[in-house]
Amino acid sequence: MTDIHPGQRVAVLADSQNLYHTAQSMYSRNVDYGELLDGAVRDRTLVRAIAYVIRADSPEEESFFDALRDIGFETKIKDIKTFADGTKKADWDLGMSLDAVSLANHVDTVVLVTGDGDFARLCTHLRHEGVRVEAMGFGSSTADELVAAADEFVDLAEREETFLL
């Protein structure tokens, strides 16, 4: 496992949907993305920060997208899909994974901000490629396999006064 040092190049990939639902259901609060980015980068060199968001046509979402961009995140926006039976689906798992694999040759560390266990296999792949992988999420709602697969896990719940608004 590589240690953290100031020269490291970092990419931060934030699963905004996962974060939003967890912060709302557990705390009825929102995530402080400025603190989140600072906590992910930790005095290293930020190469890219991407927030993966879903457009659900709620009135406040455009200002949220703008705020993310002001903080320093690129936003990747996907429209929610509604199926004939009324179910809705929108996730960025594949898009985040492809971006992480694409960025692997350009960074030393990938920080995955999610609790989704589907990313455990991605962690294993990135580490095999020589990339340090850090995961950030709310511990009680983060999959054990994701925590186990990452080089380091930061539990946002342990510093909720920092990471929540």
Side-chain angles (χ1 to χ4, degrees):
M1 176 172 114
T2 15
D3 292 326
I4 292 173
H5 58 81
Q8 279 178 340
R9 299 161 303 158
V10 180
V12 180
L13 308 181
D15 182 353
S16 295
Q17 224 39 26
N18 180 279
L19 287 176
Y20 172 80
H21 289 295
T22 304
Q24 285 295 312
S25 64
M26 290 174 63
Y27 304 98
S28 300
R29 292 167 72 184
N30 289 314
V31 172
D32 183 332
Y33 278 86
E35 291 292 342
L36 188 76
L37 190 56
D38 289 346
V41 176
R42 293 190 267 176
D43 298 323
R44 296 174 288 184
T45 303
L46 179 63
V47 174
R48 292 209 35 210
I50 306 171
Y52 300 84
V53 295
I54 305 299
R55 178 178 281 117
D57 292 322
S58 65
E60 67 284 347
E61 66 189 3
E62 288 304 324
S63 59
F64 170 62
F65 300 161
D66 289 342
L68 285 171
R69 289 186 279 267
D70 290 344
I71 290 163
F73 282 94
E74 294 171 45
T75 54
K76 293 204 175 182
I77 303 169
K78 182 182 279 191
D79 291 319
I80 198 161
K81 285 187 186 130
T82 305
F83 296 99
D85 65 359
T87 57
K88 295 178 187 283
K89 176 166 174 46
D91 73 55
W92 269 107
D93 292 10
L94 184 60
M96 275 181 69
S97 296
L98 288 170
D99 285 349
V101 169
S102 298
L103 286 165
N105 291 329
H106 307 282
V107 298
D108 304 300
T109 302
V110 171
V111 182
L112 298 173
V113 189
T114 183
D116 189 335
D118 290 344
F119 291 106
R121 178 73 187 86
L122 173 64
C123 292
T124 306
H125 173 76
L126 291 172
R127 290 177 69 192
H128 180 75
E129 295 296 310
V131 177
R132 176 182 169 82
V133 180
E134 298 165 12
M136 296 176 79
F138 294 98
S140 60
S141 69
T142 296
D144 293 339
E145 58 269 29
L146 179 63
V147 175
D151 287 298
E152 180 183 356
F153 175 69
V154 175
D155 186 350
L156 301 176
E158 290 176 0
R159 292 174 47 208
E160 65 180 86
E161 290 315 309
T162 300
F163 293 119
L164 291 172
L165 293 168

